[in-house]
Amino acid sequence: MERKEIIERLKEGSPEELFKEADRVRKTYLDDEVHIRGIIEFSNYCCRSCLYCGLRRENENIRRYRMLPDEIIKLANEITQCGVKTIVLQSGDDFGFSQKVLCRIIEKIKEENPEIAITLSIGERPLDDYKAFKDVGADRYLLKHETANLKLYERFHPGQTLKRRLQILEYLKKLDYQIGAGNIVGLPNQTLEDLADDILLMKRLDVDMAGIGPFISQKDTPLRNHPSGNLDLTLKVLALTRIVTKYTHLPATTALSTLNPTYGQVLAFRSGANVIMPDFTPEEERKNYIIYDNKTRVDLEKAKTIILEAGRKISTARGDSLKWKRHQKAFASI
Ligand code: 5AD
């Protein structure tokens, strides 16, 4: 699909046809199974200053926490015992967790649960760290590009560049990680052209996963007064990403559920999504992981209910990227 057509479709007044089309593409490439990824938000320390995010280092209104390595490992084991086959380790960009400590955590989780996949979502680090994490068993890496608009990127991420973000994603791919990017829909001054560029960028990067969610304001950030993103527009971006990128794993994000607790995620499943990421962070910590305000609690039970409500099946597989699997096979045959 050309940029012009993507923009036209983002403008469509009644997007039902677009959602149905995305749903057909999803069914063709990925069938009806929904993959569950269990997320542990193990630290809310962050050295960045992203203008939209409540974890930004300038925010003094949240209590900062770091879970202990043993707590993280124990929780990962419990998640595995629930039948969940992917553990997502997420945190702010926290250098309080050294390469060595993170490697020990990854290694131990893999040693005790060899059948599961580990996804890291821990931001920008020295390249050497990514290699070390892969060597001890990390399988996937989420690093949302947030916005493909260079000017907006630099405005919302003081001290960071889109160029670096993309270099890291390319490097992660070279290391043979399954990679995830993704954007925020509804940032101040973001245009439909920018959203089309987000979709085309994810296509160009040939991502295995993409997290697409609406902007939701957080009261302790500079964007506190900006209105939240629009549900239909977010679903349109999701649907078009499905149509353009085909096999990609696309979560029905918690941000969509926060925007519309009753229908947000079910609608996402009907518009191209095939993944859900229930939160396993212990209550004490979770209440301080305030990326944005009023974050909905999507636990395992709720995730399963939503999958069934959307008329879909709960996958029992690890849910690796099909693109990545094909690539592995091609290599094995050389
Ligand atoms: N609204 C929506 N998404 C946000 N994120 C951070 N802050 C917000 C916000 N206010 C998203 C970013 C980040 C992910 C962990 O959370 O996309 O990559």
Side-chain angles (χ1 to χ4, degrees):
M1 212 187 280
E2 302 267 325
R3 186 171 187 262
K4 227 172 104 195
E5 190 186 343
I6 298 177
I7 297 165
E8 281 313 308
R9 301 212 68 176
L10 285 170
K11 282 185 194 157
E12 267 172 36
S14 41
E16 283 67 30
E17 227 4 87
L18 175 64
F19 297 161
K20 275 194 200 136
E21 193 180 326
D23 198 41
R24 281 196 297 272
V25 174
R26 186 270 309 155
K27 201 173 167 71
T28 306
Y29 288 92
L30 298 155
D31 73 49
D32 281 341
E33 305 225 317
V34 173
H35 300 291
I36 298 180
R37 325 293 199 193
I39 181 161
I40 307 176
E41 296 149 342
F42 66 91
S43 161
N44 68 353
Y45 279 84
C46 193
C47 64
R48 313 284 176 208
S49 306
C50 309
L51 261 56
Y52 46 78
C53 184
L55 303 192
R56 66 202 306 273
R57 69 163 184 233
E58 291 79 2
N59 184 9
E60 290 177 354
N61 290 336
I62 57 171
R63 196 179 59 76
R64 301 284 171 170
Y65 69 84
R66 290 189 177 106
M67 287 174 67
L68 295 170
D70 281 347
E71 286 174 339
I72 301 170
I73 295 160
K74 186 164 163 271
L75 186 52
N77 292 344
E78 285 165 16
I79 297 174
T80 307
Q81 275 149 28
C82 296
V84 174
K85 300 261 171 62
T86 297
I87 309 282
V88 182
L89 298 176
Q90 189 179 83
S91 68
D93 289 24
D94 179 12
F95 290 93
F97 276 88
S98 64
Q99 179 192 107
K100 201 167 139 205
V101 168
L102 284 165
C103 278
R104 274 223 307 276
I105 295 169
I106 296 163
E107 203 168 14
K108 197 88 180 60
I109 294 176
K110 270 300 183 89
E111 194 183 297
E112 297 183 16
N113 311 282
E115 73 286 10
I116 63 129
I118 295 186
T119 302
L120 299 177
S121 174
I122 56 178
E124 294 187 22
R125 303 189 58 110
L127 296 185
D128 174 53
D129 283 5
Y130 299 127
K131 169 98 174 62
F133 303 151
K134 187 78 178 66
D135 287 345
V136 294
D139 300 276
R140 310 177 189 148
Y141 206 101
L142 296 177
L143 189 70
K144 289 179 64 175
H145 70 278
E146 316 294 2
T147 173
N149 177 316
L150 246 149
K151 286 221 173 75
L152 291 186
Y153 187 94
E154 288 179 10
R155 182 166 136 218
F156 295 131
H157 309 96
Q160 291 182 269
T161 64
L162 183 58
K163 190 168 165 218
R164 179 71 186 154
R165 201 78 169 174
L166 301 183
Q167 271 170 353
I168 294 174
L169 281 163
E170 292 289 0
Y171 183 68
L172 291 165
K173 206 157 62 176
K174 241 183 22 212
L175 291 176
D176 211 21
Y177 277 97
Q178 297 168 51
I179 63 158
N183 64 341
I184 302 178
V185 179
L187 289 167
N189 298 106
Q190 188 182 43
T191 62
L192 296 184
E193 284 75 10
D194 294 333
L195 294 172
D197 290 338
D198 282 330
I199 296 167
L200 292 171
L201 173 62
M202 294 189 274
K203 165 90 180 157
R204 183 162 64 78
L205 284 170
D206 195 24
V207 294
D208 300 288
M209 314 169 271
I212 296 162
F215 165 76
I216 296 169
S217 66
Q218 205 289 326
K219 66 178 175 41
D220 303 311
T221 66
L223 301 189
R224 64 180 69 83
N225 293 323
H226 187 73
S228 288
N230 176 278
L231 178 65
D232 258 9
L233 183 59
T234 309
L235 292 171
K236 283 193 227 173
V237 174
L238 174 70
L240 285 162
T241 305
R242 167 60 68 216
I243 293 167
V244 169
T245 67
K246 312 220 160 37
Y247 286 103
T248 314
H249 285 305
L250 300 175
T253 52
T254 306
L256 267 172
S257 168
T258 303
L259 203 59
N260 186 327
T262 323
Y263 301 116
Q265 288 178 302
V266 173
L267 290 174
F269 282 130
R270 294 190 182 149
S271 313
N274 73 318
V275 167
I276 191 161
M277 300 167 72
D279 190 353
F280 285 85
T281 311
E283 166 68 23
E284 247 329 275
E285 283 81 16
R286 190 162 24 87
K287 64 178 192 223
N288 285 298
Y289 201 80
I290 309 173
I291 292 178
Y292 46 78
D293 288 333
N294 306 313
K295 186 155 161 257
T296 313
R297 167 105 217 262
V298 180
D299 63 11
L300 183 59
E301 276 321 296
K302 178 147 186 239
K304 287 182 175 171
T305 308
I306 294 167
I307 295 172
L308 300 177
E309 205 181 315
R312 302 279 278 283
K313 294 186 199 121
I314 298 166
S315 166
T316 52
R318 234 171 70 135
D320 284 303
S321 155
L322 297 177
K323 287 184 210 172
W324 176 84
K325 271 193 185 161
R326 276 211 312 266
H327 171 247
Q328 295 277 304
K329 253 200 199 146
F331 260 87
S333 64
I334 291 170

